[in-house]
């Protein structure tokens, strides 16, 4: 049997046709496809303004800059995430302040946020890790009390929701990623979702050299534009996102019903988990699982093996015990919508055999 991949972008004839259409048009850089992609994405975040950029990291960076965050500010962020969540903060000149996670959700532990708030704190960056929304009602309460901005890192959480309200609509700004391993792709790309028109205006200017009208630069800006080629792919993917998401959830439910003696992901009541990753907690001998799964041709991964605060790029001496524990215990298995029933059966039987032998 062929290898079962951990992640696999779903690309078909619709994406091919869309790219060829743009190539034939001769308009490759940011143009009408990007504008349409923004409008269509907006429909999934309750009509909020959307600004497309070249990556999820750029989206987070501009989202923070649009709120005036910079040198001298502190921004609260979990350490159990991809480094980009903290990189974007550091790139503004602000200091990331790392907070531990809740062991059940892998998301920021809202009970620990207030202890880290100082006079310099300007914002909380929440990460909806693995496709599960953070506890946004509690985060909003803290943000209101201390007058802090909320920025959602929704790179892994397209269409995730709490009581029907989609991620991207809880904060002052949010960032989505369209990297090929995410729940939908544009090749590379990102989307900024904004609550206030002033921030939207800033993001549109900042992504394009500070220009609205060509050669009339109003401020110093970047070139973080998305191309029409990428937007054309993203638009096709967006049409299939809901059905892929349902498939991910179905696969996750199958795993959770059939895996034995393994800690499976927790979804709190009222939350829609979109399973960017299906992540197990392996309490003893994760190495054995990794080796035996690989031997059987089953893709698996550790997201993330190192706490962001301990990476050489940050090197902070803080103690976040649940984050450290998670780096040692997590194991993600294939949950992408291209998986076949036969492959799911193999994943389950292999895992059940490894966990039974391990006792
Ligand atoms: C992928 C990812 C990003 C960055 O997105 P890119 O498009 O790769 O720049 C940021 N945060 C999290 C949690 C991610 O998973």
């Amino acid at each position: 049997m062929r290898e079962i991949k951990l992640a696999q972008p779903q690309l078909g004839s619709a994406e091919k046709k869309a790219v060829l259409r743009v190539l034939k048009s001769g308009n490759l850089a940011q143009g009408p496809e990007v504008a349409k992609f923004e409008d269509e994405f907006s429909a999934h975040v309750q009509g909020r303004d959307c600004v497309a950029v070249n990556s999820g990291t750029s989206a987070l960076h501009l989202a923070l800059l649009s709120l005036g965050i910079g040198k001298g500010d502190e921004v609260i962020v979990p350490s159990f995430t991809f480094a980009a969540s903290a990189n974007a903060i550091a790139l503004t000149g602000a200091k990331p302040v790392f907070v531990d996670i809740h062991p059940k959700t892998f998301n920021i532990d809202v009970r620990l946020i207030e202890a880290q708030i100082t006079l310099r704190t300007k914002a909380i960056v929440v990460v909806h890790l693995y496709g599960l929304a953070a506890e946004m009602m509690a985060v909003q309460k803290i943000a209101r009390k201390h007058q802090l901005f909320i920025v959602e890192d929704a790179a892994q959480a397209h269409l995730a929701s709490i009581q029907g309200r989609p991620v991207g609509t809880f904060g002052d700004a949010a960032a989505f990623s369209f990297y090929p391993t995410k729940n939908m792709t544009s090749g590379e790309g990102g989307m900024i979702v904004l609550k206030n028109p002033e921030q939207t205006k800033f993001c549109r200017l900042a992504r394009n050299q500070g220009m609205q009208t060509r050669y009339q630069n109003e401020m110093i800006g970047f070139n973080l534009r998305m191309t029409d080629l990428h937007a054309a792919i993203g638009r096709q993917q967006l049409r299939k996102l809901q059905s892929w998401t349902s498939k991910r959830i179905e696969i996750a439910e199958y795993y959770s019903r059939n895996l034995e003696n393994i800690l499976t992901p927790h979804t709190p009541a009222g939350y829609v988990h979109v399973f960017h990753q299906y992540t197990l907690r392996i309490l003893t001998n994760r190495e054995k699982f990794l080796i035996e799964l690989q031997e059987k041709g089953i893709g698996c991964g550790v997201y993330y093996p190192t706490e962001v605060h301990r990476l050489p790029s940050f090197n902070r001496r803080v103690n976040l015990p649940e984050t450290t524990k998670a780096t040692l215990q997590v194991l993600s298995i294939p949950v992408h919508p291209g998986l076949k029933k036969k492959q799911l059966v193999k994943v389950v039987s292999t895992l059940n055999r490894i966990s039974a032998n391990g006792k």
Side-chain angles (χ1 to χ4, degrees), residues 60 76-78 85 107-108 110 113 124-129 134-136 139 150-154:
L60 260 184
I76 286 170
V77 64
S85 314
N107 281 328
I108 194 163
V110 294
I113 292 175
I124 305 168
V125 169
V126 295
V127 183
H128 306 307
L129 199 74
E135 278 179 73
M136 293 314 296
V139 173
I150 300 172
V151 176
E152 297 173 69
D153 181 342

Side-chain angles (χ1 to χ4, degrees), residues 88-209:
I89 297 168
L91 285 170
T92 70
K95 180 186 173 190
V97 174
F98 296 100
V99 169
D100 212 354
I101 53 166
H102 195 287
K104 264 195 149 162
T105 61
F106 299 109
N107 281 328
I108 194 163
D109 190 332
V110 294
R111 298 167 300 184
L112 305 176
I113 292 175
E114 280 197 292
Q116 299 305 320
I117 294 173
T118 71
L119 290 172
R120 291 168 179 263
T121 309
K122 283 282 159 59
I124 305 168
V125 169
V126 295
V127 183
H128 306 307
L129 199 74
Y130 302 148
L132 175 67
E135 278 179 73
M136 293 314 296
M137 283 58 157
V139 173
Q140 285 175 326
K141 208 167 153 189
I142 296 166
R144 264 198 302 273
K145 181 170 159 197
H146 298 273
Q147 299 193 346
L148 306 176
F149 292 119
I150 300 172
V151 176
E152 297 173 69
D153 181 342
Q156 305 186 353
H158 319 66
L159 302 190
S161 63
I162 306 171
Q163 284 158 7
R165 183 170 171 183
V167 300
T169 66
F170 292 95
D172 298 279
F176 289 82
S177 165
F178 308 122
Y179 186 74
T181 58
K182 303 291 157 83
N183 289 23
M184 63 172 282
T185 186
S186 62
E188 291 262 15
M191 193 70 81
I192 317 167
V193 176
L194 299 136
K195 187 177 174 186
N196 294 312
E198 274 153 72
Q199 270 82 56
T200 307
K201 187 171 176 231
F202 174 91
C203 291
R204 291 195 186 288
L205 285 173
R207 91 174 148 182
N208 186 30
Q209 312 283 6

Side-chain angles (χ1 to χ4, degrees), residues 42-68:
S42 174
H44 296 279
V45 284
Q46 299 185 335
R48 283 201 180 194
D49 289 348
C50 290
V51 179
V53 287
N54 63 350
S55 76
T57 308
S58 299
L60 260 184
H61 186 204
L62 285 195
L64 290 160
L65 288 177
S66 78
L67 297 167

Side-chain angles (χ1 to χ4, degrees), residues 1-20:
M1 201 149 99
R2 275 190 299 130
E3 193 196 335
I4 304 176
K5 290 205 176 122
L6 180 58
Q8 190 171 53
Q10 307 295 307
L11 299 164
S13 60
E15 285 80 359
K16 255 187 219 167
K17 265 196 218 153
V19 168
L20 283 175

